[in-house]
Amino acid sequence: MSNRLHHKSALVTGATSNIGRAIALAFAAEGAHVAVSGRSRERGEEVVAAIRAVGGKADFLPSDLDGSAPASRALADEAARALGGRIDILINNAGIYPSPSTPDTDEETFDRIYAVNVKAPFFLTAAVIPAMIEHGGGTVINLGSWIARLGIPIGAVYGSSKGAMESLTRAWAAEFGPQGIRVNAISPGVVRTPNPAETGVHPGDIMMKGTPAGSFGLPDAIAQAAVYLASDEASFVHGTVLDVDGGRTGVAVIAP
């Protein structure tokens, strides 16, 4: 532990599994008090217990971010109370990934993807930032995706929703940077936690063929990038989308 986030408080949405869980654990290990937000109480309390078991500080906040402004405002208020009156770091991680083809995407699915992936973080950020400004500054980190910039033949609506979050990252950096708020994003490649029970080739491995990494990444890789962007080490970083994708969007490896 290097205590890079000592005396900081952080709200991490979608923190009960995968990338969000890894970010919550990494932030707590660096000294932050973490509000672990998600829909599953059982998984959320497991994350909190893991943090507290090694001396960290965390609280679970059940929340279903459905895209409504009241739900986002309620989480912002509850997190501020749980974290002692202030939120220094906001991680907009919660998201859903239905991936039907375009002809098979009905209006209900389209609206739900945008509600959870775009509207919810938009209104949560809007609710959190005024208090950040009042307290002298803060950090917002959004989660984008490699398929926001590299088209693939599935998940068109999901990819466009993540493109919206990367665009909001730059807009918010311009809007709030002069007031002491740093806004950046992380664009993960294929990231998952290996399951020993799985057999055969995982689709993620296929998608990562031809990259320098050659395979999927672990959630911890994204968590360490988030620690950097949230820390004072990134004090000169504004409006950036940090690719942590094994080289997927920028590099092609020619197989021998």
Side-chain angles (χ1 to χ4, degrees):
M1 181 188 297
S2 60
N3 282 321
R4 285 186 285 177
L5 304 179
H6 190 49
H7 294 315
K8 299 288 187 181
S9 59
L11 168 58
V12 183
T13 69
T16 60
S17 64
N18 203 28
I19 290 173
R21 182 184 188 277
I23 291 174
L25 293 172
F27 276 23
E30 292 289 347
H33 182 181
V34 182
V36 174
S37 170
R39 288 178 292 180
S40 170
R41 178 174 292 277
E42 180 181 0
R43 292 189 302 179
E45 290 179 347
E46 183 276 324
V47 176
V48 169
I51 290 171
R52 291 178 177 174
V54 291
K57 296 178 65 177
D59 295 279
F60 174 63
L61 305 180
S63 179
D64 185 3
L65 292 172
D66 59 4
S68 68
S72 290
R73 286 195 294 265
L75 177 58
D77 291 342
E78 190 176 356
R81 286 191 294 270
L83 295 172
R86 62 185 294 166
I87 301 169
D88 298 306
I89 305 161
L90 170 61
I91 307 296
N92 285 315
N93 169 71
I96 57 174
Y97 180 53
S99 56
S101 69
T102 296
D104 291 333
T105 301
D106 57 32
E107 187 174 7
E108 181 182 356
T109 300
F110 184 102
D111 288 345
R112 184 159 183 264
I113 293 171
Y114 265 77
V116 175
N117 292 4
V118 182
K119 283 184 66 180
F122 181 92
F123 286 112
L124 181 58
T125 302
V128 167
I129 275 185
M132 280 186 174
I133 294 170
E134 184 179 338
H135 287 120
T139 301
V140 177
I141 301 173
N142 299 318
L143 269 292
S145 172
W146 65 282
I147 66 171
R149 277 166 292 138
L150 183 66
I152 63 174
I154 59 172
V157 180
Y158 172 81
S160 69
S161 75
K162 287 303 184 178
M165 288 310 299
E166 294 188 6
S167 181
L168 282 171
T169 296
R170 293 182 285 271
W172 285 338
E175 184 175 359
F176 302 116
Q179 300 171 81
I181 310 299
R182 289 193 304 106
V183 185
N184 292 289
I186 300 171
S187 177
V190 176
V191 171
R192 66 185 183 92
T193 302
N195 182 351
E198 290 178 345
T199 58
V201 178
H202 191 275
D205 285 334
I206 296 171
M207 290 182 178
M208 292 301 289
K209 283 185 178 295
T211 68
S215 184
F216 63 86
L218 300 177
D220 226 27
I222 312 304
Q224 292 308 312
V227 168
Y228 163 69
L229 288 175
S231 73
D232 291 341
E233 296 166 14
S235 61
F236 200 51
V237 182
H238 291 260
T240 290
V241 178
L242 178 59
D243 292 322
V244 187
D245 63 1
R248 175 70 283 173
T249 56
V251 183
V253 175
I254 306 301

